[in-house]
């Protein structure tokens, strides 16, 4: 079965065309509604890569990427909320701890939506969130700078660093409770609709049975680094959506370049050794960003003065592109991207 006819790809397109894209400008201004989240839960897309035995689809990587492109191109805010969910699913798939049997099924079947609070681990040796052992569980102290989907997620996967320099991940109910307080939603240049907050952790207690992963920090970091070197499928989704707003005579050459970069980037993403070809991965990531910026600029130019209105699709896509330039950024990817920008002729 090809990607084009996979049932989840068809479902993503139906959801994008029938619900997400028509409401995207309103959602951008008002916030991702619960109705969008319920539709995502019912769609089966939350279990796209989850094991069939737990209610998922175990779809190939090409399908996972294609569905991400479709959702991001239709409504990047909704895509961003639901994309958080896939890290907790992947974490449980590889976990041997009891929480796997309690949560993997509900997450794979879309009965629960999970968020993530772990990007701060990438700032090590600075430790924004510290975890201390206590009889029967763990206590979390510190601040999570960014947490997306507050008020939409059912649970969150929270990470911190232990006194033994382990990365520890545990599931927590996504609500205010003793030891966990959320800020007011952040006002951002793009994706304010995704309900991003910071989380203040003042001795939040988590029982041991909610721990999903414990591993030396360096082992976790070594596995995490390759993930930020590959081009993000959402970038291709935004680029395609922007080119749809440009006359074909001007869009066609950009489509050719897009498909070439996409083909090469995904070939590397499928490479069996993720630690190899680092330079090429980062270069293709930067090329994908350049194409996205060009496509969204072209959409704004094509729209003229109307493109500056808040209900313009072109300006929304341009702001979403701005967000994707820094989403998932690390010191390594930032340096590579800035280097490529410096090489470009003025």
């Amino acid at each position: 079965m090809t990607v084009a006819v996979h049932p989840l790809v068809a479902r993503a397109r139906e959801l994008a065309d029938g619900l997400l894209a028509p409401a995207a400008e309103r959602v951008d201004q008002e916030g991702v509604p619960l109705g969008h989240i319920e539709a995502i839960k019912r769609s089966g897309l939350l279990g796209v890569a989850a094991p069939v035995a737990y209610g998922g689809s175990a779809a190939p990587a090409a399908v996972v990427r294609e569905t991400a492109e479709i959702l991001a191109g239709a409504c990047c805010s909704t895509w961003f909320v639901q994309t958080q969910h896939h890290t907790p699913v992947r974490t449980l798939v590889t976990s041997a701890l009891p929480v796997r049997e309690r949560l993997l099924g509900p997450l794979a079947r879309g009965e629960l939506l999970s968020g993530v609070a772990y990007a701060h681990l990438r700032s090590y040796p600075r430790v924004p969130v510290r975890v201390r052992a206590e009889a029967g569980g763990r206590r979390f102290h510190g601040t999570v700078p960014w947490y997306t989907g507050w008020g939409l997620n059912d649970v969150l996967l929270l990470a911190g660093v232990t006194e033994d320099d382990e990365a520890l991940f545990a599931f927590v109910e996504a609500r205010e409770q003793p030891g966990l307080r959320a800020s007011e939603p952040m006002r951002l240049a793009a994706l304010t609709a995704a309900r991003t907050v910071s989380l203040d952790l003042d001795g939040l207690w988590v029982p041991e049975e909610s721990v999903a992963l414990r591993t030396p920090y360096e082992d976790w970091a070594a596995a995490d680094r390759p993930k930020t070197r590959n081009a993000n499928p959402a970038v291709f989704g935004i680029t395609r959506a922007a080119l749809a707003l440009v006359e074909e005579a001007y869009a066609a050459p950009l489509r050719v370049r897009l498909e070439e970069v996409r083909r090469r980037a995904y070939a590397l993403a499928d490479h069996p050794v993720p630690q190899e070809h680092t330079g090429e991965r980062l270069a293709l990531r930067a090329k994908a960003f350049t194409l996205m910026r060009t496509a969204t600029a072209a959409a704004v130019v094509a729209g003229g003065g109307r493109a500056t209105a808040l209900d313009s699709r072109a300006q929304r896509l341009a702001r979403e592109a701005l967000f994707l330039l820094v989403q998932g950024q690390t010191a390594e990817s930032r340096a590579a991207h800035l280097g490529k920008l410096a090489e470009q002729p003025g």
Side-chain angles (χ1 to χ4, degrees), residues 15-17 20-22 24 69-76 237-238 241 313 316:
L15 192 61
D17 295 341
L20 302 186
E69 288 185 19
I70 292 167
L71 296 181
C75 179
C76 197
I238 293 292
R313 181 152 298 183
R316 173 179 60 80

Side-chain angles (χ1 to χ4, degrees), residues 5-339:
V5 298
H6 192 284
L8 285 180
V9 172
R11 211 163 300 159
R13 287 181 176 146
E14 179 182 356
L15 192 61
D17 295 341
L19 176 66
L20 302 186
E25 281 67 55
R26 176 176 55 80
V27 167
D28 177 62
Q29 297 300 309
E30 299 177 6
V32 175
L34 286 172
H36 278 30
I37 299 304
E38 291 305 316
I40 291 285
K41 285 180 171 180
R42 292 191 301 269
S43 71
L45 291 167
L46 294 180
V48 60
V52 173
Y54 288 84
S57 297
V63 170
V64 175
R65 292 190 293 254
E66 182 75 7
T67 56
E69 288 185 19
I70 292 167
L71 296 181
C75 179
C76 197
S77 293
T78 301
W79 163 80
F80 193 51
V81 171
Q82 68 81 41
T83 201
Q84 317 294 314
H85 181 89
H86 302 293
T87 294
V89 170
R90 287 193 297 269
T91 301
L92 287 174
V93 167
T94 59
S95 178
L97 296 174
V99 71
R100 170 189 168 111
E101 297 307 313
R102 177 164 62 88
L103 286 181
L104 183 52
L107 293 176
R109 295 189 295 269
E111 295 164 10
L112 297 175
L113 177 70
S114 182
V116 291
Y118 79 94
H120 51 274
L121 289 182
R122 294 172 178 152
S123 65
Y124 190 88
R126 188 169 61 85
V127 181
V129 177
R130 180 69 71 180
V131 186
R132 301 188 187 282
E134 187 174 292
R138 308 280 172 155
R139 288 207 182 269
F140 286 76
H141 297 266
T143 300
V144 174
W146 303 90
Y147 176 77
T148 295
W150 187 254
L152 298 171
N153 297 319
D154 302 295
V155 295
L156 66 92
L157 183 61
L158 174 63
V161 177
T162 71
E163 294 170 296
D164 298 324
D165 276 347
E166 291 180 312
L168 185 142
F169 290 70
F171 281 92
V172 179
E173 288 188 34
R175 60 175 178 81
E176 290 206 350
Q177 53 190 288
L180 190 161
R181 187 177 69 252
S183 71
E184 290 297 313
M186 298 179 189
R187 296 293 300 171
L188 305 171
L191 275 72
T192 287
R195 304 194 194 185
T196 297
V197 299
S198 63
L199 301 176
D200 180 51
L201 306 171
D202 185 16
L204 173 68
W205 188 80
V206 179
E208 196 67 31
E209 57 264 29
S210 292
V211 173
L213 174 67
R214 276 181 54 198
T215 190
Y217 176 82
E218 283 304 323
D219 290 352
W220 175 84
D224 177 69
R225 289 186 195 107
K227 299 174 186 175
T228 60
R229 294 169 181 161
N230 291 318
N232 184 345
V235 170
F236 299 124
I238 293 292
T239 304
R240 283 177 166 173
L243 291 178
L245 303 178
V246 179
E247 287 182 53
E248 188 58 25
Y250 303 109
L254 292 173
R255 291 189 206 282
V256 172
R257 288 160 55 190
L258 170 65
E259 291 309 313
E260 175 60 14
V261 171
R262 181 178 181 270
R263 181 188 64 77
R264 292 172 59 195
Y266 286 170
L268 279 177
D270 289 334
H271 191 279
V273 185
Q275 292 81 10
E276 293 184 357
H277 304 287
T278 295
E280 188 178 358
R281 292 174 194 272
L282 290 169
L284 284 168
R285 186 176 186 269
K287 286 184 178 180
F289 283 146
T290 298
L291 275 170
M292 177 179 65
R293 289 187 293 111
T294 300
T296 53
V300 170
V301 171
R306 297 185 304 278
T308 62
L310 287 178
D311 61 354
S312 161
R313 181 152 298 183
Q315 63 80 28
R316 173 179 60 80
L317 291 168
R319 288 187 291 105
E320 291 170 350
L322 179 71
F323 170 83
L324 290 177
L325 290 177
V326 297
Q327 187 256 328
Q329 186 184 65
T330 64
E332 178 186 50
S333 63
R334 180 188 301 113
H337 192 185
L338 288 172

